[in-house]
Amino acid sequence: MKKILLVDDHPLLREGLGRLISAEPGISVCGAAGSVQEALSLVESAKPDLVITDLTLPGRNGLELIKDMAVIHPSLPVIVLSMHDEVIYAERALRAGARGYVMKNAPPERLIEAIHMVLGGGVYASPTITSHLLQSLSSGKGQAKPSFPMERLTDREMEVFELIGTAKSNHDIASRLGISPRTVDAHRAHIREKLGLGDCNELTRHAIRWIEVGMLGK
């Protein structure tokens, strides 16, 4: 029996996932966490064979959890289950150390397929993201330039951008990410430059729209 740890800050979703997974022969849920810190603690005590995590978590996000797991428990595979657009986030998650990426609006059997594939030693990605990754490498030399403006942002810049979109102040962003307000200002400037935005007001409007569209689309 393979054991799975669920990491998501929504209890009802964790409960639903638990029922879905436990109904599948050969796998069971050994625990559920709502934050990165709680997840790392449960990994030590529950000894899961696989971790399924969301990207949006309170405090440190799912990408940070994946990076921590890659260092602390390199043999423990992680699948991301997220509402975030896979074209923007799947490559980031896989680069951080995840072994699979599944959208939350995908059919339930897609997640079960990913679980079995990753437990069997494989890597799971949808046809959409597989095609996207292959296309980005089609030149055969180095990494292709990002096709979409959002892909030009680093993982940290994406965190800052999304927090701007939830109306967080510089002080709030700095406190949440454990960085200085001056560093937040630097990230804001880099984001504006990469996205071709004129000023802070335009950045804020763009970030809020990004969040709204993401929520409505999922």
Side-chain angles (χ1 to χ4, degrees):
M1 181 71 71
K2 296 294 185 179
K3 299 184 295 182
I4 296 177
L5 174 65
L6 303 177
V7 186
D8 194 291
D9 62 341
H10 292 88
L12 286 176
L13 180 59
R14 295 199 304 263
E15 184 177 342
L17 284 174
R19 288 197 296 268
L20 171 68
I21 292 169
S22 296
E24 185 71 9
I27 57 177
S28 66
V29 173
C30 65
S35 68
V36 171
Q37 183 177 0
E38 189 179 358
L40 290 173
S41 177
L42 279 174
V43 165
E44 298 294 339
S45 60
K47 307 295 183 187
D49 299 292
L50 171 67
V51 174
I52 298 176
T53 185
D54 192 3
L55 290 180
T56 303
L57 298 170
R60 302 176 67 224
N61 66 22
L63 283 176
E64 294 299 317
L65 172 61
I66 295 167
K67 292 173 183 177
D68 284 351
M69 297 288 289
V71 173
I72 304 171
H73 302 282
S75 62
L76 180 57
V78 179
I79 291 175
V80 171
L81 179 64
S82 176
M83 70 175 190
H84 292 296
D85 190 338
E86 60 186 352
V87 172
I88 303 297
Y89 285 91
E91 185 176 357
R92 295 173 187 271
L94 295 172
R95 187 171 61 239
R99 300 293 300 277
Y101 195 100
V102 181
M103 296 284 291
K104 282 185 175 178
N105 62 356
E109 56 267 24
R110 189 76 57 77
L111 176 60
I112 299 301
E113 178 186 355
I115 289 172
H116 286 299
M117 183 174 291
V118 172
L119 284 174
V123 175
Y124 180 86
S126 73
T128 298
I129 195 58
T130 299
S131 175
H132 177 72
L133 292 173
L134 290 174
Q135 189 173 25
S136 71
L137 296 173
S138 62
S139 64
K141 293 183 179 180
Q143 291 185 339
K145 292 183 178 180
S147 304
F148 304 98
M150 296 303 298
E151 290 184 283
R152 300 187 181 110
L153 304 185
T154 66
D155 292 344
R156 178 62 88 189
E157 287 165 353
M158 280 297 301
E159 286 186 278
V160 172
F161 182 74
E162 291 195 333
L163 289 171
I164 292 171
T166 57
K168 293 290 190 296
S169 68
N170 266 26
H171 178 77
D172 291 336
I173 295 171
S175 176
R176 176 158 182 164
L177 300 181
I179 57 180
S180 70
R182 188 171 181 177
T183 301
V184 176
D185 282 333
H187 284 311
R188 282 177 174 268
H190 294 154
I191 294 167
R192 291 204 315 272
E193 180 181 356
K194 289 180 179 181
L195 299 185
L197 303 174
D199 56 25
C200 289
N201 289 332
E202 190 176 357
L203 170 60
T204 299
R205 290 195 298 270
H206 196 74
I208 290 173
R209 181 58 180 161
W210 170 263
I211 295 296
E212 289 177 345
V213 170
M215 293 299 182
L216 291 173
K218 308 300 184 292

